[in-house]
Amino acid sequence: MIAGGEESRGKWSSQFGFILAATGSAVGLGNIWKFPFVTHQNGGGAFVLVYLICILLVGFPIMVAEIFMGKQTGRDPVGAFRRLKKDSKLWPLAGYIGVVAGFSILSYYSVVSGWVLHYVLIAFKGTLSGYTGAESAEYFQNFVQQTSLQLGYHFSMMLVFTGIVTLGIKNGIERANKIFMPLLFIMLLILMGYSMAYFSGREAFEFLFNWENYNNLSSHGILEALGHSFFTLSLGMGAMITYGSYMTDQEHVMPGSIWIVIADVVISIMACFLIYSILFSFDEEVGGGPGLLFITLPGLIEKITGSFLCVAGFFILVLFAAISSAISLLEVVVAFCIDELKVKRTTAVSLSAVTIFLLGIPSALSFNGLSDWLIWGRNFFDWIDYVASNWLLPFGGLSTALFVGWVVDREVTEQEVSRRWRFLFRPWRFVLHYITPILVILVILKTTGIWKI
Ligand code: PHE
């Protein structure tokens, strides 16, 4: 095997393997933790509709563009920009933004995944049994304040990600997703079916699909929907370029992208059904917001099902979602090291994992040792999340849309993208050309504060 050569890159075993892995990347904490609480805060219905439109006009076109770039070049994000536009010094910078974003997001994603692992373990022990809302909140506060536990979990999760990614594309990433994704889907289906049938399924449905409540939706909400469409589909940071680069010639860009987007949206909506059916069956005002997953839900699930096994099942599901996303973040950095720095996979993985672990330490300490270390009111954890989600991803996404829409030769794109489902090529390219960039620029103007709404 030649270090850094084509042989050390690897390929998916089939179109299905690719779709499963890319769906694994897309489906993560964004779907099960963030989407339900953001939708709840924005009043449901109208927000969901706007979100679906954003997925169609921003998420889907960029998904196709990224997968196209990867498949066409067979390279990491930096190499992909470089190969499609020879002798440009500027465009590969967009690839670097992606690698830096992958790096930064994984450093805190690993910390949060560690929280999920802890909740799986305590659910089995029945620790939270009979806790009131206030007691659950106190437990969570206490937990994040324990420095050694936080570091230990962060370390353990990085170890899991490293183990999977070291095994390579087919034997590591694809195989892990082939186990995690079907299990995740089945568990979600069972828990959702149960909670909808026995609790407030109807209210949950009305909350999500009553599209006439647009009075509840602020302009801030609209931009939040737009921003989230990047995060949830793993766009703007080269994850889909990287996964696309392991496709073989028998696999196709357009159908692949469509299945991934549909699966991601369906799982987000299912998570909402599950969570709201439980939430709405309690009269008292229950806490929404970011604490929904770790504070509000465990107590409620146990209260209504009477079984700690359901709580454990729920957190295992979240853990699978988190791991399958995290490995794609790690793979972006690893692919960069293999392709650009020409090192072997094992070296690339160790190098990336150690550096990401170190960068994650201040995030793990943001709620304990370093909780007083605030820069303009934000702790380290919040900064990394803020910079990555609000700056790096939109800039990465905009660069990809402009690059594939305006810079890459139309014939090159057409040849690859229209190999299957040809009729979608023209509408896709039209949206990517004109509509997607404008919408992303709006998000950026809002984030930078230039546009104050
Ligand atoms: N899409 C993942 C989620 O919804 C997060 C993610 C972002 C993963 C970017 C990879 C790249 O949680």
Side-chain angles (χ1 to χ4, degrees):
M1 196 183 273
I2 306 165
E6 295 293 333
E7 293 79 352
S8 61
R9 291 196 96 254
K11 292 273 177 214
W12 306 116
S13 67
S14 64
Q15 170 95 347
F16 182 65
F18 161 67
I19 293 179
L20 221 52
T23 306
S25 165
V27 172
L29 296 169
N31 304 60
I32 301 175
W33 164 65
K34 199 164 177 195
F35 184 68
F37 89 73
V38 175
T39 304
H40 191 235
Q41 280 172 342
N42 283 289
F47 178 83
V48 176
L49 183 63
V50 171
Y51 168 75
L52 293 177
I53 296 173
C54 294
I55 293 277
L56 199 69
L57 298 180
V58 178
F60 172 68
I62 298 183
M63 173 71 77
V64 176
E66 284 205 10
I67 297 180
F68 153 76
M69 285 181 69
K71 183 171 178 212
Q72 181 72 23
T73 59
R75 273 286 165 279
D76 71 296
V78 175
F81 277 99
R82 195 175 282 141
R83 280 203 173 179
L84 284 166
K85 180 78 186 150
K86 305 251 155 49
D87 40 77
S88 159
K89 293 254 175 326
L90 206 62
W91 284 109
L93 279 183
Y96 281 107
I97 296 186
V99 177
V100 172
F103 206 84
S104 330
I105 297 179
L106 183 55
S107 72
Y108 73 83
Y109 212 85
S110 161
V111 174
V112 182
S113 310
W115 297 350
V116 180
L117 175 61
H118 178 73
Y119 272 70
V120 170
L121 299 178
I122 61 167
F124 275 115
K125 279 203 259 160
T127 308
L128 296 177
S129 254
Y131 272 26
T132 62
E135 284 165 343
S136 286
E138 198 187 322
Y139 180 86
F140 182 71
Q141 288 311 333
N142 243 323
F143 164 61
V144 292
Q145 275 165 17
Q146 297 178 40
T147 310
S148 49
L149 262 190
Q150 292 300 312
L151 289 177
Y153 278 119
H154 171 42
F155 181 78
S156 317
M157 290 315 296
M158 281 308 299
L159 217 55
V160 173
F161 309 150
T162 310
I164 297 174
V165 174
T166 308
L167 292 174
I169 301 306
K170 234 182 258 172
N171 296 332
I173 299 180
E174 186 175 330
R175 196 187 287 165
N177 278 295
K178 278 187 169 157
I179 302 171
F180 291 160
M181 294 315 287
L183 281 175
L184 180 150
F185 189 75
I186 292 171
M187 283 158 75
L188 186 55
L189 201 65
I190 295 175
L191 283 171
M192 182 194 79
Y194 181 78
S195 62
M196 281 189 79
Y198 291 102
F199 303 96
S200 306
R202 210 191 148 88
E203 281 91 325
F205 188 88
E206 277 161 13
F207 183 73
L208 280 171
F209 295 112
N210 172 14
W211 287 345
E212 278 149 33
N213 67 345
Y214 29 77
N215 293 339
N216 292 347
L217 192 61
S218 61
S219 50
H220 175 79
I222 297 179
L223 291 167
E224 200 158 13
L226 205 46
H228 187 64
S229 63
F230 276 102
F231 189 81
T232 188
L233 293 175
S234 308
L235 299 173
M237 48 142 303
M240 292 299 164
I241 301 184
T242 308
Y243 273 16
S245 75
Y246 304 123
M247 288 166 90
T248 65
D249 227 31
Q250 282 77 51
E251 294 150 26
H252 302 288
V253 176
M254 191 58 91
S257 310
I258 291 184
W259 285 121
I260 298 160
V261 171
I262 292 180
D264 188 75
V265 169
V266 167
I267 290 184
S268 286
I269 301 278
M270 286 171 72
C272 284
F273 273 138
L274 158 62
I275 291 172
Y276 297 154
S277 300
I278 295 176
L279 212 58
F280 295 158
S281 62
F282 288 85
D283 287 338
E284 77 249 47
E285 200 33 49
V286 281
L292 191 62
L293 188 65
F294 295 105
I295 298 173
T296 317
L297 273 179
L300 297 187
I301 297 183
E302 179 156 351
K303 221 183 256 178
I304 61 173
T305 57
S307 160
F308 63 85
L309 282 180
C310 289
V311 186
F314 177 74
F315 279 103
I316 290 177
L317 178 167
V318 184
L319 189 65
F320 286 167
I323 297 176
S324 58
S325 293
I327 53 182
S328 74
L329 288 159
L330 182 54
E331 182 59 28
V332 172
V333 188
V334 168
F336 168 78
C337 295
I338 295 178
D339 290 348
E340 304 300 313
L341 311 179
K342 310 274 182 253
V343 294
K344 278 204 275 244
R345 174 166 283 273
T346 37
T347 319
V349 180
S350 343
L351 203 73
S352 319
V354 170
T355 332
I356 294 170
F357 172 71
L358 294 177
L359 181 68
I361 291 180
S363 283
L365 300 184
S366 287
F367 308 92
N368 39 74
L370 294 180
S371 59
D372 294 333
W373 190 42
L374 300 181
I375 311 166
W376 290 312
R378 280 199 178 93
N379 63 26
F380 189 84
F381 180 103
D382 291 338
W383 265 111
I384 294 258
D385 178 30
Y386 170 74
V387 172
S389 313
N390 296 312
W391 291 82
L392 301 180
L393 297 191
F395 268 106
L398 179 64
S399 318
T400 311
L402 292 176
F403 186 69
V404 177
W406 293 86
V407 178
V408 178
D409 264 356
R410 188 196 152 105
E411 286 87 273
V412 178
T413 347
E414 184 161 6
Q415 240 177 32
E416 182 62 66
V417 178
S418 63
R419 280 172 50 180
R420 280 285 153 90
W421 301 1
R422 194 182 178 82
F423 65 100
L424 287 173
F425 176 73
R426 294 180 101 210
W428 164 72
R429 203 177 129 89
F430 176 82
V431 176
L432 188 74
H433 218 68
Y434 299 108
I435 301 176
T436 314
I438 294 176
L439 291 177
V440 182
I441 288 172
L442 291 184
V443 180
I444 293 176
L445 290 180
K446 163 78 169 63
T447 319
T448 49
I450 295 175
W451 179 32
K452 291 196 172 42
I453 50 167

